[in-house]
Amino acid sequence: MPSSIDSKIPSALHDLPTPEPESPMRPRKPYRFSTLCATVENPDMKDQYGSSSIPIYQTATFKGVSGEYDYTRSGNPTRTHLQHHIAKISSAAHAFTVSSGMACLDVILRLLKPGDEIIAGDDLYGGTNRLLTYIRTHVGVTVHHVDTTKPSTLHPLLHPDKTAMVLLESPTNPLLKICDIATISKDVKERAPNAIVVVDNTMMSPYLQRPLEHGADIVYDSATKYLSGHHDLMAGAVTCNRDDLAKQIAFTINSVGNALTPIDSFLLLRGIKTLALRMDRQQATAQLVAEYLHSLGFRVNYPGIESHPGREIHNRIANGNGAVLSFETESKSLSEKIVGGTRLWGISVSFGAVNSLISMPCVMSHASIDAATRAERGLPEDLIRLCVGIEDPNDLIDDLERALIAAGAIALDVVQNKYVRVEQLANGEAIVQAVQRLRVHDANDLTENREWFVSAPGKVILFGEHAVVHGVTAIAASVDLRCFGLTTPRNDEKLSVHFHDIDGFYQEWDIDSLPWNAVTPVALGEEHPEVLDSKLMEALLLGPLASLGDDKKQARVASLTFLYMYMILTRGDKKPSFDFSARATLPVGAGLGSSASFSACAATTLLLIHKRITPPSLPPPSSTATGHIHTSYQGRRALPPAFAEEVNRWAFVSEKILHGNPSGVDNSVAVYGGALAYTRAGFARKSGMEPIQGFKSLKFLLTNSKVPRDTKKLVAGVGEKKVNEPELVNSILDSIQIISDEARRALADPELPRGTLLAALSALINENHSYLATLGVSHPSLEKIREQTSAPYGLSTKLTGAGGGGCAVTLIPDDFKEDTLKALINNLLEEGFQPYHTSVGGSGLGMLSPYAEHRSGGQVTPPETPAADSSQVIIKENLEPLRPSFENKSVTELSEWAEGLGRWLYV
């Protein structure tokens, strides 16, 4: 048990004044923790009436112009008393109280700036994970999740300049993992001196653990839990010793106005007085409950159990084991029965109150973490968390035992005359779970039990925008900004999607709850009908997607596309369970074909999982016996035409769902890459798409104006202008056709000198843009980009796509100096634009090779050729799953990381 505050903290800060010793031979000792908790005393704030309880200053304002308080948002006497008291019991120089534990983390994370990196644990409270995901998506902060039980796992990620924060929980919630706060704090100070070590201490409270004493810079508690102890208020507490951090935290709290109210400050102060008393009872009972469950044979997570792997470290840092524990049953349905069968244990999220609570984190407190991520982080779906209160321990154990008996988890062994655990084989669930844990799979099921990682490029219209609607040939090419799609097995009869670029949207569905009665699957080898299945579309919109309103329109249509293709591709009763995550390095909604590259990725992964396409076999190696010589093309042209054609057909179906009446250009570029010429049907010229053979990659600067555009309105405007001014518009359309023909011939001519090609394209770009401006589809922002790139750089720029905002394309000559390019990019950034230096005309659809010899990181599929007499193959386990890194890499890191995983196979 804790006895007194660490003597290393300056005692003058918060120690209570004590009477002078009655005799020099018998000096008084510092008050112990429980005395400090119960005795609220601030020598600098004596109550004028000698009140034995801190008054509630229930006021918004204070009179006067030079007093200590003026406005309760900025300061309040009741809150000051509380904060002084919390600092005193936390070994802290500064304490702040806000409206909740998550408000604490929000305030702390505001210390970060775009480009910073956080290292956090892999077993975190669901709300913490949700907020970290938000700042990664919206603030530009990189988040790394690691196993913090091993300090060495942080070392590769600690960077002296980039690492800004290390976020720890110990014990973690809900797996009760222990991290060595002292060692990690020391390592961080040595390897990244400017980084801040932050500890969520909610599971322990200051009574049992004070991380500031072990090197942490900031500690926060959800005071809703143990500090309050009664679940009758929401509050959070932040403590630190550094004056500079305290100043920043105080500024943020005052600015955003989330400081704790006077009445809640009073209630929290009252709750803290009994903290030690409550915790003593709660953790003593928790120890008895943990030992009871452990004796039955359940896997129990609690540092008070001797076999707990972090017990030695925990005992060195903490003064007790806490009152939260968790255990596993190996059956989700059994766990649900146990939780539902209790009476004294309340089914609820949260912990720390005088009343005992029971929950299943994966469906309650941690449900906001998607199932695939939970599985990767080792969070069992069957996990039960117990939060022990102050009831009589015999009553609590009796109630739990009755629930275990009723659920069939334990039964009376007559021979031993005691209850023992029953091996769970009901419905075959335990067998299924055991099989899932084995890394042995039938060779025919590999497509369902591995990660598939694919990518597809965006596209840019080089010539012929708008005119293409009126029968003019358009020239389109791929850009080396890509969408990436990753599927991860779930094996829990659920399907989920994570669209990072649509506000981090995540959704999961029970596969059996999808409207299967509305689907007419497309048979293997057949093509999708010309018209979309309206019955299935309506059933999906009114069923699993009904909760997504117009505020989530983008997410709704993307989810509709994915579910539609998943269901219509399903063969028989085989309904694979997996997660599909999509991220892009190209801007979404800027006219660069982001939806088509998404469609290509979704179509490829779904076709692979439904076994409608298969990756190409490895070619036979060179052989001295036969004289065969194998020439490696490093993955180029590795995906055969039939593979690409099938993907393109289904990518076009996806585009139909997303856009209604697509041309097919965008998805074709996303699949085949390179460049193509497209002429719309219904006009005098020959219609269709033709690849431009011999197209050589070109360097471009794509600049996103960040101005939203209304494509339909712009297209309609050109149509109206054609009606009102037919002679002018028709002459412009004829001129643009000449430009497209010239560009097509130049791009396809292998003998045309590079310099001549670039000079010709530069002139055609300027000419094309002038015609588009005359048609009224430019925008002041696009003209500003043209102006910035023209003088003094002498570059040619035009709008691309619908115009009216969106993107502009600038041709970059081969000999353009790197320093000059950087200066141009900085100028555009200063004007509020977002430039992307990229190449045009590169590879199309790509897939990370499934073969072990091609891989340098990530999960691996079976060897190239299984033994002839074996129907089973072993999946190698020496490489980590891709998903954690895929989720956490920044946009700037994503492409390089993906390339570094090994060989990619391209169309």
Side-chain angles (χ1 to χ4, degrees):
M1 284 184 54
S3 57
S4 62
I5 298 295
D6 195 309
S7 60
K8 292 180 289 186
I9 303 301
S11 61
L13 288 174
H14 299 296
D15 278 355
L16 292 177
T18 59
E20 291 297 319
E22 297 177 3
S23 164
M25 301 301 295
R26 191 184 175 194
R28 285 184 176 269
K29 297 179 180 179
Y31 288 139
R32 290 168 177 79
F33 193 96
S34 57
T35 305
L36 294 177
C37 278
T39 311
V40 180
E41 184 72 38
N42 187 344
D44 297 328
M45 295 184 67
K46 294 290 186 180
D47 181 68
Q48 59 181 324
Y49 298 112
S51 171
S52 60
S53 179
I54 301 301
I56 305 173
Y57 287 86
Q58 191 64 40
T59 180
T61 59
F62 297 83
K63 295 178 181 179
V65 294
S66 59
E68 182 178 353
Y69 301 99
D70 57 2
Y71 193 48
T72 283
R73 172 165 59 80
S74 304
N76 182 281
T78 310
R79 189 163 67 241
T80 300
H81 273 288
L82 169 66
Q83 292 175 165
H84 178 275
H85 196 56
I86 291 175
K88 179 181 66 180
I89 65 173
S90 302
S91 298
H94 308 279
F96 306 90
T97 51
V98 291
S99 55
S100 70
M102 289 310 302
C104 291
L105 184 58
D106 179 60
V107 168
I108 294 167
L109 292 179
R110 289 173 189 260
L111 297 171
L112 302 172
K113 62 184 184 301
D116 284 344
E117 296 188 2
I118 300 179
I119 303 174
D122 60 359
D123 179 29
L124 299 171
Y125 167 56
T128 301
N129 190 82
R130 182 167 54 241
L131 188 53
L132 289 177
T133 300
Y134 179 87
I135 68 163
R136 179 179 57 77
T137 304
H138 294 82
V139 183
V141 172
T142 300
V143 182
H144 303 285
H145 290 282
V146 301
D147 180 2
T148 52
T149 63
K150 302 173 184 176
S152 60
T153 61
L154 282 74
H155 294 174
L157 298 172
L158 284 171
H159 190 281
D161 300 318
K162 294 181 180 180
T163 306
M165 185 177 291
V166 175
L167 179 59
L168 306 173
E169 287 184 23
S170 186
T172 61
N173 176 17
L175 292 177
L176 285 296
K177 295 180 180 179
I178 306 300
C179 72
D180 192 335
I181 298 173
T183 299
I184 292 176
S185 297
K186 177 177 175 291
D187 290 348
V188 171
K189 297 296 184 293
E190 292 175 352
R191 296 167 182 262
N194 296 322
I196 302 167
V197 178
V198 179
V199 179
D200 179 352
N201 196 47
T202 305
M203 291 277 280
M204 289 281 97
S205 85
Y207 180 47
L208 299 182
Q209 183 172 271
R210 293 172 293 281
L212 292 177
E213 296 176 359
H214 300 284
D217 297 296
I218 299 176
V219 177
Y220 72 98
D221 286 71
S222 172
T224 309
K225 314 298 193 296
Y226 290 118
L227 288 173
S228 165
H230 296 79
H231 281 181
D232 53 6
L233 66 90
M234 298 285 290
V238 183
T239 58
C240 67
N241 283 324
R242 283 173 47 180
D243 294 343
D244 59 327
L245 294 177
K247 185 176 181 180
Q248 295 178 71
I249 292 169
F251 173 83
T252 299
I253 294 172
N254 186 43
S255 298
V256 302
N258 61 356
L260 199 62
T261 64
I263 182 64
D264 285 335
S265 297
F266 170 82
L267 290 173
L268 181 54
L269 197 54
R270 184 176 66 174
I272 292 174
K273 293 179 181 180
T274 59
L275 172 62
L277 190 67
R278 289 183 280 106
M279 285 297 292
D280 283 344
R281 176 59 174 264
Q282 287 174 280
Q283 70 172 343
T285 302
Q287 183 70 38
L288 295 174
V289 173
E291 290 173 354
Y292 166 72
L293 291 169
H294 187 259
S295 69
L296 291 172
F298 292 104
R299 178 176 178 177
V300 179
N301 305 304
Y302 185 65
I305 298 294
E306 288 189 8
S307 59
H308 190 285
R311 179 176 170 83
E312 183 274 328
I313 295 172
H314 183 75
N315 288 342
R316 174 159 42 88
I317 291 176
N319 300 112
N321 298 314
V324 176
L325 62 131
S326 61
F327 69 102
E328 301 169 34
T329 67
E330 296 185 359
S331 167
K332 183 179 179 182
S333 60
L334 178 64
S335 295
E336 291 170 346
K337 293 176 183 177
I338 294 169
V339 171
T342 59
R343 294 294 177 266
L344 190 54
W345 299 80
I347 303 175
S348 178
V349 296
S350 196
F351 58 88
V354 293
N355 301 108
S356 297
L357 302 175
I358 188 171
S359 66
M360 290 183 65
C362 288
V363 295
M364 298 174 72
S365 59
H366 290 61
S368 60
I369 304 175
D370 63 88
T373 300
R374 294 197 301 261
E376 286 162 10
R377 296 180 183 175
L379 185 57
E381 297 292 315
D382 61 295
L383 189 73
I384 296 176
R385 187 181 73 178
L386 299 175
C387 309
V388 180
I390 64 171
E391 301 93 342
D392 188 286
N394 294 305
D395 292 335
L396 288 172
I397 292 176
D398 179 70
D399 186 59
L400 184 59
E401 185 172 79
R402 290 176 183 274
L404 292 168
I405 294 170
I410 61 174
L412 182 65
D413 186 315
V414 179
V415 176
Q416 301 183 62
N417 193 30
K418 69 175 184 179
Y419 284 102
V420 297
R421 186 180 175 194
V422 176
E423 293 298 326
Q424 292 302 312
L425 299 176
N427 301 320
E429 183 175 0
I431 295 176
V432 171
Q433 289 195 356
V435 171
Q436 288 173 358
R437 288 176 181 140
L438 291 175
R439 304 294 286 173
V440 180
H441 301 284
D442 188 280
N444 294 325
D445 292 331
L446 288 172
T447 53
E448 297 174 18
N449 291 282
R450 57 151 294 122
E451 291 178 305
W452 290 108
F453 194 21
V454 301
S455 76
K459 73 92 181 65
V460 62
I461 301 292
L462 295 178
F463 302 100
E465 298 93 337
H466 282 284
V468 69
V469 177
H470 304 279
V472 173
T473 302
I475 307 297
S478 62
V479 297
D480 198 22
L481 298 170
R482 306 176 75 87
C483 176
F484 293 85
L486 176 69
T487 63
T488 306
R490 289 186 55 134
N491 297 318
D492 61 354
E493 299 180 0
K494 289 187 178 181
L495 191 67
S496 56
V497 295
H498 192 176
F499 303 140
H500 290 253
D501 301 304
I502 309 179
D503 297 324
F505 176 81
Y506 174 83
Q507 187 76 27
E508 61 181 41
W509 302 274
D510 289 316
I511 292 176
D512 288 339
S513 69
L514 296 176
W516 292 103
N517 59 340
V519 67
T520 304
V522 174
L524 186 65
E526 294 185 2
E527 295 185 15
H528 188 282
E530 189 70 24
V531 180
L532 294 173
D533 188 336
S534 58
K535 180 182 177 182
L536 177 58
M537 298 262 286
E538 182 180 9
L540 287 168
L541 290 170
L542 297 178
L545 303 178
S547 62
L548 302 179
D550 289 341
D551 60 324
K552 288 186 170 57
K553 187 176 180 180
Q554 275 189 303
R556 181 177 62 199
V557 71
S559 299
L560 173 65
T561 301
F562 181 80
L563 290 177
Y564 179 96
M565 293 204 300
Y566 172 82
M567 295 182 69
I568 213 162
L569 286 168
T570 297
R571 298 164 57 188
D573 58 357
K574 279 288 228 182
K575 300 171 183 175
S577 171
F578 62 94
D579 172 84
F580 175 72
S581 294
R583 294 186 65 187
T585 58
L586 72 162
V588 175
L592 295 180
S594 57
S595 69
S597 55
F598 165 83
S599 293
C601 289
T604 305
T605 53
L606 285 167
L607 289 167
L608 284 166
I609 285 177
H610 284 296
K611 302 180 185 176
R612 291 180 178 253
I613 56 175
T614 56
S617 301
L618 283 175
S622 299
S623 170
T624 55
T626 63
H628 171 73
I629 297 177
H630 167 64
T631 302
S632 172
Y633 293 93
Q634 301 301 311
R636 298 186 302 275
R637 300 179 180 269
L639 299 179
F643 185 104
E645 290 165 7
E646 184 71 0
V647 170
N648 197 36
R649 278 192 287 268
W650 284 96
F652 183 63
V653 173
S654 173
E655 286 287 272
K656 277 187 174 182
I657 303 171
L658 291 169
H659 298 297
N661 186 28
S663 66
V665 174
D666 289 12
N667 55 274
S668 295
V669 172
V671 173
Y672 293 102
L676 57 82
Y678 168 74
T679 306
R680 191 174 182 181
F683 296 87
R685 296 179 184 86
K686 179 185 176 182
S687 64
M689 282 180 283
E690 294 183 21
I692 300 177
Q693 303 295 342
F695 184 94
K696 301 297 183 182
S697 180
L698 300 168
K699 296 177 183 178
F700 275 87
L701 192 67
L702 304 181
T703 305
N704 185 3
S705 68
K706 300 184 181 179
V707 175
R709 57 205 178 87
D710 189 334
T711 301
K712 291 182 179 179
K713 184 177 180 180
L714 291 162
V715 171
V718 174
E720 185 178 352
K721 191 176 185 69
K722 185 178 181 182
V723 172
N724 296 332
E725 303 176 68
E727 188 174 340
L728 171 65
V729 173
N730 284 326
S731 68
I732 290 175
L733 296 177
D734 290 340
S735 298
I736 294 177
Q737 180 64 55
I738 293 172
I739 291 172
S740 291
D741 290 341
E742 288 279 1
R744 184 177 181 181
R745 283 194 295 271
L747 290 167
D749 187 350
E751 298 183 6
L752 189 67
R754 182 75 172 181
T756 305
L757 171 64
L758 293 173
L761 292 176
S762 180
L764 293 173
I765 283 173
N766 287 328
E767 185 183 0
N768 196 172
H769 182 85
S770 67
Y771 290 131
L772 292 170
T774 304
L775 290 176
V777 296
S778 189
H779 186 275
S781 64
L782 298 173
E783 297 303 324
K784 181 70 174 178
I785 295 170
R786 274 178 53 80
E787 177 186 329
Q788 290 281 314
T789 55
S790 176
Y793 302 101
L795 302 178
S796 297
T797 300
K798 64 180 285 293
L799 67 85
T800 183
C807 280
V809 293
T810 303
L811 180 64
I812 305 296
D814 295 340
D815 58 356
F816 200 70
K817 293 182 178 179
E818 189 70 24
D819 291 343
T820 308
L821 179 60
K822 288 181 179 178
L824 171 57
I825 289 174
N826 288 333
N827 289 343
L828 292 169
L829 289 170
E830 289 172 1
E831 293 291 340
F833 304 124
Q834 180 60 61
Y836 300 85
H837 184 210
T838 185
S839 60
V840 169
S843 299
L845 177 71
M847 178 179 75
L848 184 62
S849 174
Y851 299 109
E853 53 264 57
H854 290 167
R855 297 290 290 277
S856 56
Q859 188 193 74
V860 179
T861 52
E864 171 195 350
T865 307
D869 60 348
S870 173
S871 62
Q872 289 185 330
V873 287
I874 309 296
I875 292 182
K876 293 186 178 181
E877 297 197 51
N878 60 327
L879 298 175
E880 294 297 321
L882 301 176
R883 196 165 186 271
S885 295
F886 179 71
E887 297 276 356
N888 291 305
K889 290 292 179 184
S890 68
V891 172
T892 56
E893 297 173 319
L894 187 57
S895 294
E896 184 178 353
W897 167 78
E899 287 296 324
L901 292 173
R903 182 173 298 175
W904 281 74
L905 310 178
Y906 292 101
V907 170

